[in-house]
Amino acid sequence: MPADLEEIFHPRSVAVVGASAETLGYISPISEGRLGDRLFLVNPRYREFMGRKCYSSLLEIPHPVDYVIVGTPARVVPQVIEDCVKKGVKAVHIYSSGFSEVGEEGARLEREVVERARGRLRIIGPNGMGVYCPESGLFFINGQPQESGPVGFVSQSGTFAIYSTAAGELGEVRFSKVVSYGNAADLDAPDFVEYLAEDPETRLLLVYVEGTRRGRELFQALRKAASRKPVLMLKGGRTPEGARAASSHTGSLAGSQAVWEAVFRQAGVIPVGSFEEMMDTARAFLLCPPPRGRGVSMASVSGGVSVVETDACVEMGLEVPTFREETLRRLREMLPVAGTSIKNPLDVWPAFVSGSLPQVLEVALSDENIHSLILEVQMGAYYRDLVMTEDYLRGLAERCREMSRRWGKPILISNPPELDWGFAYRVRKIFGEYGLPVYESVRRAAKALFNLHLIARRYGGGPFPFCDR
């Protein structure tokens, strides 16, 4: 594992140069975490900030400093780099913007910064959020989870890096390491992908890239990583308009979409079409046993919705097979013929009302043609008020968890929040507590399930989620 990157993710001490309200998101959580008194603040305008001593210069700090976060105006950054070199700093994260993403003058300043640092320290950024590593106490916004997890994320976008940990807080995903590297003046996606490929704490790797100056190296790093663990990759700038936006965002050249598709295929990574799909798949990876095939059953309270759901599953790459005759016989004994459908997909509103839904789902899961199940928890206000009580939902969630583990088949929950945001929050919270992923639509659940199928096909199956192994 590259030593210079190890010192980035596990520094012994950190300094924030340009300590102010602008960099508060770094200072507050780092000062409250593991680094504690090994965090130093630098700003010549203050003697003290947030109750901590403020040094007028990095060189005045009477202790060694491994890692520096720079939040000064862009024009000051070259001098800060000079001070870092004199101080013996190992790595610098330049949070500041105003470099190559704004035009030629910014690009010239960025080249000057790299030249002053060359061969003496490494740079993350500029124009990025930097590093989130809860194990070592590095954060870049308030409220990021303190607990580590098995997911790593390499992101050219700062906003996606922030969203990932926020979505993780809501969606049961925890991260080993997240890095937002912005303009990639020095360290680029290949460096971080290669590092996380070897990181034993990272079991699943997410990558968001707009463009790179080191395409061949990125391909090699992705192939290496994908040979060891699943890699989900979102490419920004796939259209001409998106490529233009990427250039103004991080100064990146997005490249040909056909070339990137070849990279995905030959490197063995799983491409995703949106940030939501990336996070949806991560949640399925962490919470569900790998499906042993593409056959999915669905259970809903609406025949019309079931038709559209079937289309969605097939369009996402899954199969909606017919039940075996023995399964149909058992379902006929449990459900009335009128007003329901015991074919796949299941229209089972009477089972919701009678409380027999767990038994119906058990029968569906026992069918050898079925490798996973999507349950849509959606009812009109009448049934929701009279049937879907806290106790009912908890009992259903507990039974679903038991069935999923017993049969070794994923159960995913769909609940469209636009029908009732309060109810949707309850469903997500309760089923999440029992380790079942909840999605805002069957389409999103189906896409995550198909990606999980691709992962299982390449990396093996088993009765438990990948994270349990």
Side-chain angles (χ1 to χ4, degrees):
M1 190 172 292
D4 50 358
L5 267 67
E6 185 68 12
E7 289 167 342
I8 289 174
F9 287 101
H10 295 96
R12 293 167 299 177
S13 56
V14 175
V16 177
V17 178
S20 66
E22 182 74 14
T23 54
L24 197 59
Y26 297 95
I27 296 169
S28 179
I30 292 177
S31 64
E32 296 169 5
R34 294 174 175 82
L35 285 162
D37 58 4
R38 291 175 288 152
L39 172 67
F40 306 103
L41 306 184
V42 177
N43 192 325
R45 294 185 298 165
Y46 304 125
R47 291 187 177 182
E48 185 180 281
F49 186 75
M50 290 188 62
R52 303 176 75 93
K53 177 180 173 62
C54 234
Y55 296 91
S56 62
S57 164
L58 184 68
L59 300 176
E60 287 188 4
I61 299 174
H63 305 283
V65 176
D66 285 344
Y67 182 61
V68 170
I69 299 167
V70 181
T72 67
R75 68 180 184 279
V76 181
V77 174
Q79 182 57 54
V80 175
I81 297 298
E82 289 286 351
D83 290 348
C84 288
V85 170
K86 293 176 183 176
K87 185 68 177 174
V89 171
K90 304 293 194 309
V92 175
H93 158 226
I94 304 175
Y95 167 67
S96 313
S97 57
F99 292 89
S100 60
E101 79 280 3
V102 301
E104 181 51 40
E105 178 56 29
R108 183 201 61 77
L109 189 60
E110 187 170 299
R111 290 193 295 270
E112 180 183 351
V113 166
V114 172
E115 188 59 37
R116 295 195 185 197
R118 194 178 304 280
R120 295 173 287 185
L121 55 84
R122 303 310 303 265
I123 295 175
I124 302 174
N127 187 34
M129 294 304 297
V131 171
Y132 164 66
C133 181
E135 182 184 22
S136 61
L138 289 176
F139 306 88
F140 46 71
I141 58 169
N142 287 308
Q144 288 183 299
Q146 300 276 337
E147 305 85 12
S148 294
V151 182
F153 186 22
V154 176
S155 176
Q156 196 158 8
S157 163
T159 300
F160 281 159
I162 294 172
Y163 283 174
S164 67
T165 56
E169 181 68 15
L170 294 172
E172 303 82 49
V173 179
R174 290 291 182 272
F175 291 86
S176 57
K177 298 165 183 71
V178 176
V179 58
S180 157
Y181 62 90
N183 294 6
D186 175 27
L187 290 167
D188 200 347
D191 304 298
F192 297 113
V193 169
E194 183 175 7
Y195 175 85
L196 290 176
E198 299 183 30
D199 179 28
E201 304 302 319
T202 300
R203 307 281 295 280
L204 172 69
L205 179 56
L206 315 180
V207 181
Y208 171 72
V209 168
E210 292 172 5
T212 180
R213 302 176 185 90
R214 297 160 54 192
R216 181 168 294 279
E217 291 175 65
L218 178 57
F219 168 71
Q220 292 171 344
L222 288 169
R223 185 167 59 180
K224 175 181 178 181
S227 71
R228 302 183 178 195
K229 61 193 69 174
V231 179
L232 306 177
M233 185 168 177
L234 173 61
K235 171 63 177 65
R238 298 189 299 273
T239 65
E241 294 81 0
R244 185 172 64 247
S247 177
S248 62
H249 178 215
T250 56
S252 294
L253 298 176
S256 162
Q257 176 62 9
V259 170
W260 282 100
E261 289 176 355
V263 167
F264 299 152
R265 184 173 59 254
Q266 295 176 28
V269 307
I270 297 173
V272 296
S274 68
F275 176 76
E276 291 78 13
E277 182 187 338
M278 178 182 282
M279 295 303 299
D280 287 348
T281 306
R283 288 159 56 205
F285 176 87
L286 295 176
L287 297 175
C288 296
R292 293 188 286 271
R294 293 191 293 165
V296 61
S297 177
M298 289 173 292
S300 179
V301 298
S302 166
V305 169
S306 296
V307 172
V308 176
E309 290 171 347
T310 300
D311 290 339
C313 287
V314 174
E315 289 166 2
M316 293 300 109
L318 299 173
E319 297 172 352
V320 185
T322 57
F323 290 128
R324 296 169 60 244
E325 188 55 42
E326 173 62 17
T327 304
L328 292 171
R329 183 191 66 76
R330 294 172 64 189
L331 289 172
R332 290 190 192 102
E333 294 175 353
M334 303 174 69
L335 293 168
V337 175
T340 65
S341 171
I342 59 172
K343 298 177 182 179
N344 190 23
L346 289 161
D347 175 10
V348 291
W349 67 266
F352 275 91
V353 177
S354 68
S356 63
L357 182 60
Q359 292 90 329
V360 171
L361 300 181
E362 183 94 43
V363 171
L365 279 175
S366 70
D367 193 301
E368 64 184 20
N369 294 334
I370 302 303
H371 308 114
S372 57
L373 186 144
I374 299 174
L375 170 63
E376 187 168 49
V377 181
Q378 169 199 337
M379 300 190 76
Y382 175 79
Y383 292 118
R384 196 160 56 241
D385 293 340
L386 294 184
V387 178
M388 294 297 204
T389 63
E390 180 94 2
D391 288 343
Y392 181 97
L393 290 171
R394 289 192 176 279
L396 179 59
E398 184 175 13
R399 291 291 300 277
C400 285
R401 179 179 65 181
E402 292 171 357
M403 286 185 284
S404 178
R405 290 298 178 102
R406 180 165 59 254
W407 291 101
K409 299 179 180 182
I411 296 180
L412 289 73
I413 310 300
S414 168
N415 178 240
E418 62 271 13
L419 300 179
D420 186 330
W421 284 95
F423 180 67
Y425 176 79
R426 270 202 301 154
V427 169
R428 182 164 184 170
K429 182 175 183 296
I430 290 171
F431 280 85
E433 289 175 5
Y434 286 87
L436 295 162
V438 180
Y439 298 94
E440 296 182 357
S441 68
V442 169
R443 184 171 292 273
R444 285 179 61 169
K447 188 59 177 176
L449 190 55
F450 177 71
N451 288 340
L452 191 63
H453 161 71
L454 295 179
I455 293 172
R457 192 170 64 182
R458 174 158 187 176
Y459 299 94
F464 300 106
F466 283 98
C467 61
D468 288 353
R469 301 179 194 179

